[in-house]
Amino acid sequence: MPDTTVLDGVAHEPGVAKPDPILIADGVVRRFGGLTAVNVGHFEVQRNTITALIGPNGAGKSTFFNLLTSFDTAQEGSGTFDGKPLRKVSPHKVARSGMVRTFQLTKALEGMSVMENMRLGAQDQPGESLLTAFVPPLWKSREREITEQAHDLLHRFKLYEKRDDSAGSLSGGQRKLLEMARALMSKPTMVMLDEPMAGVNPALTESLLEHIIELKDEGMTVLFVEHDMHMVRRISDWVAVMAQGELIAEGPASTVMQNAAVQDAYLGAHHDTDLGEDL
Ligand SMILES: Nc1ncnc2c1ncn2[C@@H]1O[C@H](COP(=O)(O)OP(=O)(O)OP(=O)(O)O)[C@@H](O)[C@H]1O
Ligand SMILES: [Mg+2]
């Protein structure tokens, strides 16, 4: 079971302050034409925990993720990551500051080998500099370092044998593992995962869950979006719930899923997610 003691004294209410937040969002609004996709008053993620972001389809979870990682820009609001302001920072800079997110493998990345994908993940490391790129001796030793790091991660994610295969030839589950391994190449302090279990068969689900727990054991903070409530219950220290763009509940999984507003949000959305045995 995850260690939730650090959050024991925290009230179970949306927007509540945490003892040591690594990520803080404040007054974040994102509109698409007449639609307000995200309107989050305040949200904090406690350092070195696993936090799940749940909510019915269209609740604004992915949009909120894009805003937090600077892949999209809010019309209003501000945020800090590890004490540094997030506003008007490029996704690249956010990644270098230690926050990384996984992405579906795009067509271009599918055409590259597993190893090439891993190398690309290294370019967001905080130590990457132009100097290294222009001084061949530094560049060579850097190359070796990157190769070693990639091999270590590929062993850990059981993809080493596939290192020269094209990423497009991997199964759905293996791609998810590659996305995570590639994200770790940047040596992040916070990892953002949007639906890490989607399309993964049950055999690999277990290993993905263990990998996520390992990230926390290594000191990282994890924020993930997931529809599968059984997974959410198993690995989350804390759960935040969005509905219609707003944060409507926060707390441990068991508490949040009994919350009337949460149950209404899922029922109102005619969502087929099973909130679990507590309902
Ligand atoms: N680029 C965009 N242009 C217009 N509307 C958008 C855009 N991106 C998202 N939306 C709308 O914003 C709302 C929130 O979408 P979002 O993808 O963030 O929801 P979600 O919670 O991630 O849903 P799901 O669980 O289905 O992934 C939806 O109504 C969606 O149609
Ligand atoms: Mg989404």
Side-chain angles (χ1 to χ4, degrees):
M1 280 300 283
D3 170 25
T4 55
T5 51
V6 69
L7 291 165
D8 274 357
V10 176
H12 302 169
E13 53 192 45
V16 68
K18 310 291 182 329
D20 181 17
I22 187 170
L23 181 67
I24 302 175
D26 203 55
V28 176
V29 178
R30 177 63 165 117
R31 294 181 209 93
F32 295 110
L35 173 85
T36 304
V38 169
N39 182 8
V40 170
H42 192 81
F43 180 54
E44 299 188 359
V45 177
Q46 171 67 21
R47 190 184 304 274
N48 197 201
T49 56
I50 300 177
T51 300
L53 184 61
I54 68 168
N57 294 117
K61 306 178 296 292
S62 293
T63 305
F64 191 40
F65 244 61
N66 291 342
L67 298 171
L68 292 174
T69 48
S70 289
F71 280 88
D72 187 19
T73 311
Q75 273 99 4
E76 292 169 33
S78 59
T80 59
F81 171 65
D82 226 355
K84 295 176 285 281
L86 275 176
R87 210 166 156 72
K88 299 206 175 83
V89 176
S90 71
H92 190 56
K93 277 217 174 117
V94 171
R96 282 195 179 192
S97 75
M99 187 205 284
V100 74
R101 64 174 293 180
T102 54
F103 265 111
Q104 306 269 306
L105 296 176
T106 62
K107 282 268 172 279
L109 295 175
E110 281 175 15
M112 300 199 320
S113 75
V114 167
M115 228 2 229
E116 285 163 341
N117 269 278
M118 293 296 281
R119 285 186 200 285
L120 271 184
Q123 68 188 4
D124 287 329
Q125 281 188 12
E128 271 333 276
S129 72
L130 277 176
L131 180 68
T132 316
F134 284 117
V135 182
L138 291 180
W139 182 72
K140 284 227 170 85
S141 71
R142 186 71 194 107
E143 272 293 302
R144 266 198 300 277
E145 233 174 79
I146 289 173
T147 304
E148 268 174 36
Q149 194 200 347
H151 283 179
D152 287 349
L153 281 166
L154 290 177
H155 277 297
R156 174 168 151 194
F157 284 83
K158 299 203 167 59
L159 289 170
Y160 185 70
E161 305 303 325
K162 306 263 178 203
R163 65 191 179 283
D164 296 324
D165 294 2
S166 95
S169 72
L170 301 179
S171 74
Q174 287 171 331
R175 284 171 188 227
K176 290 285 183 188
L177 291 172
L178 175 58
E179 283 170 31
M180 206 183 283
R182 185 180 57 187
L184 295 184
M185 284 297 289
S186 71
K187 299 188 175 160
T189 46
M190 179 158 184
V191 181
M192 315 271 287
L193 307 166
D194 195 353
E195 303 201 26
M197 318 292 176
V200 177
N201 71 40
L204 272 179
T205 305
E206 199 54 38
S207 102
L208 259 170
L209 283 181
E210 279 159 22
H211 284 304
I212 295 175
I213 293 169
E214 264 170 35
L215 303 183
K216 179 183 153 189
D217 292 343
E218 289 175 11
M220 287 174 238
T221 307
V222 179
L223 180 67
F224 77 112
V225 172
E226 185 54 56
H227 280 295
D228 186 329
M229 291 306 141
H230 298 289
M231 305 302 154
V232 169
R233 279 170 183 280
R234 280 197 45 201
I235 63 171
S236 316
D237 299 306
W238 195 257
V239 179
V241 190
M242 283 182 78
Q244 297 182 328
E246 295 180 17
L247 194 62
I248 60 161
E250 278 194 60
S254 51
T255 314
V256 144
M257 288 168 196
Q258 285 172 355
N259 179 303
V262 174
Q263 296 188 0
D264 283 354
Y266 276 92
L267 291 174
H270 300 289
H271 202 276
D272 56 7
T273 296
D274 175 11
L275 285 179
E277 57 271 20
D278 287 352
L279 268 176

